[in-house]
């Protein structure tokens, strides 16, 4: 599992930061990629990575401001040109379905794969299977903006193969059944419960990716005990009033959310283009770390591994 920052700027593209997009690589877990927001030129950013559009399984849109969605129609078309046939699901606020359908229709873009668009609402589970749960909450922004909480379900413990060999159970199909926690009877009549031969359960990871927002308690709830929290930090701490008026957050406010939520690490993104150069970056980072020492400042093309627990 890796987080790949494709665009970390705010509002408009800049030479050093493109507009918002983050890829969550789940190649080991499910052989696919989930994309969070798709600002203008996202597919151009993808060209400089190992991300294949055909591998994108889901796209989660936080809100409908242009710097988060203007790259979507082009990417959808490119995925088709690349020969993708697997379904793609887009999640987003009310209006995302009309935006996608109208842009594809007016540009005469015909997709070769099934496209499903699901509009999301406050405080709901938008996706769940045997591996992951994705929950959303509405944040505080000028238009409906959402945060996503991605929860990996706990994984079963490692099969204690050495212990099985000690009691005379040789490797074979029975190991798979025991690994699944099943109860099986072996050739000599003994009945073995798979749960007795498994190590401790491996706790799943939690990743919280929040859309544009003011400081709000909903952000804390979405980020509770997250292994990784991605939070916007459009402004420096001395621009708190400006951040409030524009429905955004400062570095310190993002750090405070991480602190209150007991997150493990914080990645700051959606940085205003007024902050340029290494000196500005170090200033923003220092402000956040003064509140939350595990804060980090994201930049375009940064890949962040999220190791298993």
């Amino acid at each position: 599992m890796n987080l790949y920052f494709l665009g970390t700027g705010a509002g408009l593209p800049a030479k050093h930061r493109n507009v918002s997009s983050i890829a969550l690589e789940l190649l080991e877990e499910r052989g696919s990629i989930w994309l969070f927001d798709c600002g203008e030129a996202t597919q151009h950013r993808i060209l400089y990575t190992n991300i294949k559009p055909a591998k994108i399984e889901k796209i989660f849109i936080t809100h409908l401001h242009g710097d988060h969605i203007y790259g979507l129609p082009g990417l959808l078309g490119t995925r088709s040109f690349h020969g993708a046939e697997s379904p793609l699901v887009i999640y987003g606020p009310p209006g995302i379905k009309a935006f996608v359908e109208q842009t594809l229709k007016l540009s005469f873009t015909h997709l070769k794969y099934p496209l499903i668009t699901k509009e999301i609402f406050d405080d709901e589970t938008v996706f769940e299977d045997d591996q992951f749960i994705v929950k959303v909450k509405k944040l505080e922004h000028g238009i409906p903006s959402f945060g996503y909480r991605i929860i990996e379900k706990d994984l079963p413990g490692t099969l204690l193969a050495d212990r099985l060999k000690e009691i005379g159970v040789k490797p074979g199909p029975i190991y798979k059944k025991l690994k699944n926690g099943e109860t099986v009877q072996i050739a000599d009549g003994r009945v073995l419960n798979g749960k007795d031969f498994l190590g401790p359960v491996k706790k799943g990871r939690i990743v919280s990716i929040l859309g544009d927002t003011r400081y709000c308690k909903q952000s804390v709830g979405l980020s509770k005990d997250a292994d990784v929290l991605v939070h916007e930090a459009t402004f420096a701490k001395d621009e708190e009033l400006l951040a409030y008026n524009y429905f955004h957050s400062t570095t310190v406010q993002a750090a405070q959310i991480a602190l209150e939520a007991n997150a493990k690490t914080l990645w700051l993104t959606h940085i205003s283009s007024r902050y340029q150069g290494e000196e500005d970056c170090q200033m923003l980072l220092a402000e956040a770390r003064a509140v939350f020492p595990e804060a980090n400042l994201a930049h375009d093309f940064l890949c962040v591994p999220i190791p298993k627990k």
Side-chain angles (χ1 to χ4, degrees):
M1 181 186 291
N2 298 300
L3 263 186
Y4 215 132
F5 290 90
L6 299 171
T8 58
L12 69 165
K15 289 182 179 179
H16 59 298
R17 292 186 187 275
N18 195 45
V19 286
S20 296
S21 187
I22 300 170
L24 180 62
E25 293 184 321
L26 300 169
L27 299 178
E28 181 181 335
E29 292 75 14
R30 56 196 295 129
S32 65
I33 293 169
W34 291 359
L35 196 65
F36 291 81
D37 287 333
C38 189
E40 178 186 350
T42 290
Q43 65 174 318
H44 289 266
R45 283 319 215 218
I46 286 175
L47 290 174
Y48 294 95
T49 73
N50 59 2
I51 295 171
K52 294 178 172 59
K55 288 285 188 181
I56 299 175
E57 175 193 17
K58 298 180 182 297
I59 300 177
F60 298 88
I61 301 298
T62 62
H63 64 294
L64 300 185
H65 276 151
D67 58 322
H68 295 257
I69 63 169
Y70 281 165
L72 188 54
L75 180 60
L76 298 179
T78 294
R79 189 176 187 270
S80 190
F81 283 126
H82 282 199
E85 296 180 349
S86 58
L88 173 64
V89 185
I90 299 174
Y91 303 83
I96 187 63
K97 185 176 179 66
F99 173 77
V100 170
E101 289 180 349
Q102 286 301 312
T103 51
L104 295 181
K105 178 182 177 181
L106 293 173
S107 62
F108 296 93
T109 302
H110 302 286
L111 305 181
K112 298 176 183 178
Y113 56 85
L115 180 65
I116 303 161
T117 306
K118 297 184 177 182
E119 297 192 337
I120 61 176
F121 300 92
D122 190 19
D123 199 13
E124 65 170 336
T125 297
V126 297
F127 172 75
E128 181 172 5
D129 65 2
D130 60 348
Q131 287 183 298
F132 289 93
I133 303 172
V134 182
K135 297 177 178 286
V136 300
K137 283 183 181 293
K138 191 176 180 181
L139 306 175
E140 291 187 16
H141 196 47
I143 64 172
S145 180
F146 292 83
Y148 292 92
R149 179 178 175 88
I150 304 98
I151 306 164
E152 181 184 35
K153 292 186 176 180
D154 293 345
L155 302 173
T158 303
L159 183 68
L160 304 176
D162 290 344
R163 185 174 171 190
L164 287 167
K165 291 175 183 176
E166 287 175 3
I167 63 173
V169 181
K170 297 181 179 180
I174 191 175
Y175 274 34
K176 183 177 181 181
K177 293 181 179 180
L178 293 170
K179 170 71 173 174
N180 293 334
E182 299 177 26
T183 298
V184 297
Q185 185 174 17
I186 59 178
D188 62 9
R190 285 180 292 170
V191 176
L192 305 179
N193 186 334
K195 294 179 181 177
D196 295 333
F197 298 91
L198 294 177
V201 169
K202 298 176 183 178
K203 295 294 292 180
R205 292 157 286 187
I206 299 173
V207 179
S208 297
I209 300 176
L210 310 188
D212 293 3
T213 184
R214 289 170 173 165
Y215 172 92
C216 64
K217 291 299 181 182
Q218 299 92 298
S219 297
V220 177
L222 281 168
S223 310
K224 188 67 176 175
D225 297 322
D227 294 280
V228 176
L229 164 60
V230 179
H231 197 293
E232 70 125 292
T234 309
F235 297 106
K237 73 173 185 178
D238 60 355
E239 298 286 6
E240 185 174 340
L241 180 59
L242 186 64
Y244 183 85
N245 289 339
Y246 282 91
F247 295 91
H248 285 295
S249 297
T250 67
T251 52
V252 168
Q253 289 171 332
Q256 187 63 37
I257 292 293
L259 184 66
E260 292 180 30
N262 192 39
K264 305 298 185 296
T265 57
L266 166 66
W267 285 94
L268 304 174
T269 188
H270 202 269
I271 309 300
S272 170
S273 59
R274 68 179 59 197
Y275 307 110
Q276 300 188 27
E278 184 63 22
E279 186 175 341
D280 281 351
C281 288
Q282 289 303 316
M283 175 196 70
L284 297 175
L285 183 58
E287 290 177 355
R289 285 184 172 175
V291 176
F292 187 75
E294 296 304 316
N296 304 276
L297 188 66
H299 59 79
D300 289 19
F301 301 117
L302 173 69
C303 184
V304 179
I306 307 175
K308 293 179 180 178
K309 296 183 180 179

